Amino acid sequence: MFEDSLCLNDSTDPRLLRYSWPDEPHKFPSHNFIRFETKEQDEIRVIRRLNERMLIVGMRDSVWKVNTLPRPEDAAFQVERVKEEVDGAFGVVGPMAAAVFSFGQGNRLGYISPYGICATDGDSWDVLTDDLDWRRTVNVSTLSKAVLLNNAAAYRLEAYVSSTANVSGRNDVAYYIHYHPS
């Protein structure tokens, strides 16, 4: 839910974010959508509300933020006011590969990319696993099955991925990223 509207990806066009009328999550007018046009013909993998003022859309090859949902009463609709690219270098590997977390400086979205575990606050992004040789330890070809969870009680992100030694493709390795302020 964002701005009292239910936001979903479109199964027939993976570049579209569709949204309902405010307070009517069962009504999706055909003109209520935001199209994410990219050179790579990117597709939406994850949609998460980061806070009351921002929706994060994780695509295969990029990450975007949605600042507001366009409404029919918007007289001077400006595309740049609605969406902005946050990360054009790394995308999200799968639908379970993102989690919202907070460590006292506002909410962040952690996400698994082909190059490591990243995080964004909607304005900037960072690779959290710079010290890990990601490509040598993680089976990148099976990352679509990766899972990222926020274990708030333990103050950590938990990434479950397949190791390079694993030929079955099942997630057999866990990486913990602790974010406690201390």
Side-chain angles (χ1 to χ4, degrees), residues 49-61:
R49 188 180 76 195
L50 199 55
N51 53 43
E52 295 302 318
R53 62 175 188 84
M54 186 183 324
L55 189 70
I56 300 292
V57 178
M59 304 187 78
R60 184 190 64 233
D61 298 317

Side-chain angles (χ1 to χ4, degrees), residues 103-170:
F103 58 92
Q105 299 175 349
N107 286 343
R108 305 255 189 284
L109 180 73
Y111 56 98
I112 300 175
S113 80
Y115 305 98
I117 301 170
C118 302
T120 183
D121 62 359
D123 293 318
S124 62
W125 59 273
D126 190 23
V127 179
L128 303 177
T129 53
D130 280 337
D131 58 342
L132 180 66
D133 191 348
W134 189 254
R135 294 223 173 239
R136 286 194 183 192
T137 58
V138 173
N139 187 346
V140 178
S141 67
T142 62
L143 279 177
S144 63
K145 299 175 185 174
V147 176
L148 185 68
L149 301 172
N150 176 23
N151 184 336
Y155 293 96
R156 70 182 181 209
L157 291 175
E158 299 176 355
Y160 300 97
V161 297
S162 177
S163 67
T164 53
N166 184 350
V167 292
S168 73
R170 287 196 170 124

Side-chain angles (χ1 to χ4, degrees), residues 28-87:
F28 286 86
S30 61
H31 59 274
N32 278 16
F33 68 88
I34 299 171
R35 182 182 308 278
F36 293 88
E37 293 290 343
T38 62
K39 296 183 287 192
E40 304 87 13
Q41 296 298 308
D42 217 345
E43 58 187 52
I44 295 174
R45 299 266 173 95
V46 169
I47 302 168
R48 298 285 189 277
R49 188 180 76 195
L50 199 55
N51 53 43
E52 295 302 318
R53 62 175 188 84
M54 186 183 324
L55 189 70
I56 300 292
V57 178
M59 304 187 78
R60 184 190 64 233
D61 298 317
S62 57
V63 174
W64 295 73
K65 74 175 174 178
V66 175
N67 298 310
T68 188
L69 297 175
R71 302 288 181 205
E73 60 271 10
D74 291 343
F77 174 67
Q78 299 167 333
V79 174
E80 64 276 0
R81 185 175 64 89
V82 172
K83 65 181 180 181
E84 295 176 57
E85 188 177 51
V86 176
D87 177 358

Side-chain angles (χ1 to χ4, degrees), residues 93-105:
V93 295
M96 299 299 295
V100 175
F101 70 102
S102 177
F103 58 92
Q105 299 175 349

